[in-house]
Amino acid sequence: MPNPQLILHDAFGRMHDYLRISLTEHCNLRCTYCMPAEGIQLTPKPHLMTADEILHIAQTFVDLGVRKIRLTGGEPLVRKDAAKIIQSLGKLGVQLTLTTNGLLVDQFVETFQKAGIRSLNVSLDTLSGPKYHQITRRNHFEQVMKNVQLLLENSFRVKINVVLMKGFNDDEILDFIALTEHQNIQIRFIEFMPFNGNEWDRSKLVSYAEILEELRSHYNFHQIERIEDAPHDTAKNYKISGYAGSFAIISSVTNPFCSTCNRIRLTADGKLKNCLFSNSETPLLETLRSGASILPLIEQNLRAKFPIRGGLDDDRKFENPDLFSQNRSMIAIGG
């Protein structure tokens, strides 16, 4: 029997106390960097976690030492029993949050409040309606903007996730920063990452250094303040002096943060991924449904974790499509 105090530690001593749970592979958008244009083969419903199974697995991780749970998708709020799941997880005594595309949050404000959710990440890659339609293949920009304001009005901490891509939205960096002048929003610029079907190549990447260079072309050295990062933070945090909000850069490609990683992912079909970039997964559902313990599987999964980006530890590997195309598309992983 594994030692419960050590199960969430990997071979490099990293403690994984942050669980990300994908509630569904479904989404009401079709973002190009997340889902292949032809869509994905969805997992048959009997192979997906039920609400009770999600709660059972989450409780297991909390008992082992998990202190934070983030709900992802697809789009987590399109799941019909999302409210029930959110309320149940809100009773586990951990920090609960979620990442959403923002379309349905107006229907869940009260649910969030009752579950103790105080902070949400909203994925929004452009402040232009036509560009929004281009990237999402849907026309819901105004609704998302209204819902962001609704969250702010109800005292939620809002973080806006922006995947930057050259030639598409790299000219909007300063526009996003401007949102933080009078509103306590955090803008999170994310380097474009490779997944199956998203046509990644380095020429589309807007790097950490390039983002800072763009900011320094507009703001002077003393205006750009470096903020202390929280423990295990994936983002490098900044703010503009005098602005109400802040911004951060998640540099998974050019400046990874793997040495302090504390995240483990649970896909909607009940498989563990110890790294967003990992090709390997550990299925839990068959064992759980048989009544056997999933603890050995959790320990096995974490002990197999690579020190850096699922084994993509140099540029040669990172840019080899034969390696990263073996990973699922982002929508099937859960981000």
Side-chain angles (χ1 to χ4, degrees):
M1 175 64 67
N3 183 343
Q5 295 181 333
L6 298 177
I7 288 176
L8 295 186
H9 289 78
D10 67 11
F12 305 95
R14 294 173 293 196
M15 168 63 176
H16 295 73
D17 58 2
Y18 178 6
L19 175 65
R20 301 172 69 101
I21 303 175
S22 174
L23 297 188
T24 179
E25 297 171 349
H26 289 270
C27 187
N28 43 9
L29 298 181
R30 293 293 182 269
C31 296
T32 57
Y33 60 82
C34 180
M35 179 184 288
E38 66 276 11
I40 65 168
Q41 183 68 44
L42 295 172
T43 303
K45 187 173 181 179
H47 299 292
L48 299 174
M49 294 185 293
T50 66
D52 289 342
E53 288 167 342
I54 291 171
L55 181 60
H56 181 103
I57 296 173
Q59 181 68 70
T60 299
F61 273 95
V62 171
D63 292 343
L64 293 172
V66 159
R67 296 183 295 176
K68 180 178 179 179
I69 294 176
R70 176 178 297 278
L71 303 179
T72 66
E75 167 52 42
L77 300 182
V78 302
R79 182 163 168 154
K80 292 181 180 179
D81 55 358
K84 172 187 174 182
I85 294 170
I86 292 169
Q87 291 172 17
S88 296
L89 295 177
K91 298 174 183 178
L92 295 182
V94 298
Q95 180 185 351
L96 181 64
T97 185
L98 76 154
T99 298
T100 173
N101 61 32
L103 279 181
L104 301 176
V105 296
D106 54 307
Q107 301 174 29
F108 286 85
V109 169
E110 187 175 349
T111 298
F112 297 155
Q113 292 169 333
K114 288 181 177 178
I117 293 176
R118 298 288 177 264
S119 173
L120 295 93
N121 288 34
V122 178
S123 298
L124 179 65
D125 300 309
T126 179
L127 297 175
S128 159
K131 279 189 185 178
Y132 180 91
H133 184 270
Q134 181 183 345
I135 193 73
T136 67
R137 306 183 181 108
R138 297 293 185 269
N139 188 24
H140 301 303
F141 176 72
E142 295 298 332
Q143 180 64 35
V144 173
M145 295 303 291
K146 287 179 182 177
N147 283 342
V148 167
Q149 291 304 313
L150 178 65
L151 290 171
L152 292 171
E153 290 164 7
N154 282 274
S155 302
F156 289 97
R157 173 80 165 125
V158 177
K159 300 178 182 180
I160 296 180
N161 290 346
V162 185
V163 176
L164 287 174
M165 288 166 281
K166 281 186 179 172
F168 175 71
N169 60 354
D170 55 330
D171 60 343
E172 295 188 67
I173 293 173
L174 296 177
D175 295 332
F176 275 105
I177 294 295
L179 289 182
T180 71
E181 182 172 4
H182 302 296
Q183 300 181 100
N184 187 21
I185 292 176
Q186 184 186 68
I187 304 299
R188 293 160 59 87
F189 296 118
I190 302 172
E191 291 183 342
F192 184 37
M193 294 178 282
F195 294 96
N196 184 33
N198 74 348
E199 300 179 357
W200 184 88
D201 67 66
R202 186 171 284 273
S203 69
K204 299 178 183 178
L205 175 72
V206 184
S207 70
Y208 174 38
E210 290 170 321
I211 295 167
L212 288 180
E213 182 180 355
E214 174 68 8
L215 291 169
R216 288 166 181 154
S217 72
H218 184 79
Y219 299 100
N220 66 46
F221 177 80
H222 297 289
Q223 287 179 291
I224 304 173
E225 299 179 7
R226 184 73 163 92
I227 305 173
E228 183 178 355
D229 303 330
H232 308 293
D233 206 337
T234 61
K236 297 167 180 66
N237 293 273
Y238 296 83
K239 71 172 297 177
I240 302 301
S241 180
Y243 281 23
S246 61
F247 68 95
I249 303 170
I250 300 177
S251 53
S252 304
V253 178
T254 66
N255 197 352
F257 35 79
C258 304
S259 63
T260 60
C261 181
N262 68 334
R263 291 153 180 77
I264 189 165
R265 291 169 167 82
L266 179 64
T267 64
D269 56 349
K271 296 176 181 177
L272 282 186
K273 286 182 71 75
N274 57 32
C275 176
L276 188 59
F277 295 104
S278 175
N279 292 329
S280 63
E281 302 173 346
T282 302
L284 300 184
L285 277 188
E286 182 177 352
T287 300
L288 180 68
R289 290 172 179 177
S290 74
S293 173
I294 62 173
L295 297 185
L297 297 175
I298 296 171
E299 183 176 48
Q300 170 192 322
N301 181 274
L302 280 171
R303 287 289 168 173
K305 184 168 182 171
F306 285 93
I308 297 176
R309 286 186 311 214
L312 302 177
D313 51 7
D314 61 44
D315 282 350
R316 180 181 56 81
K317 291 180 182 178
F318 201 81
E319 297 186 24
N320 182 352
D322 291 335
L323 295 178
F324 64 71
S325 64
Q326 297 172 32
N327 200 356
R328 297 203 215 188
S329 59
M330 177 69 88
I331 193 168
I333 296 172

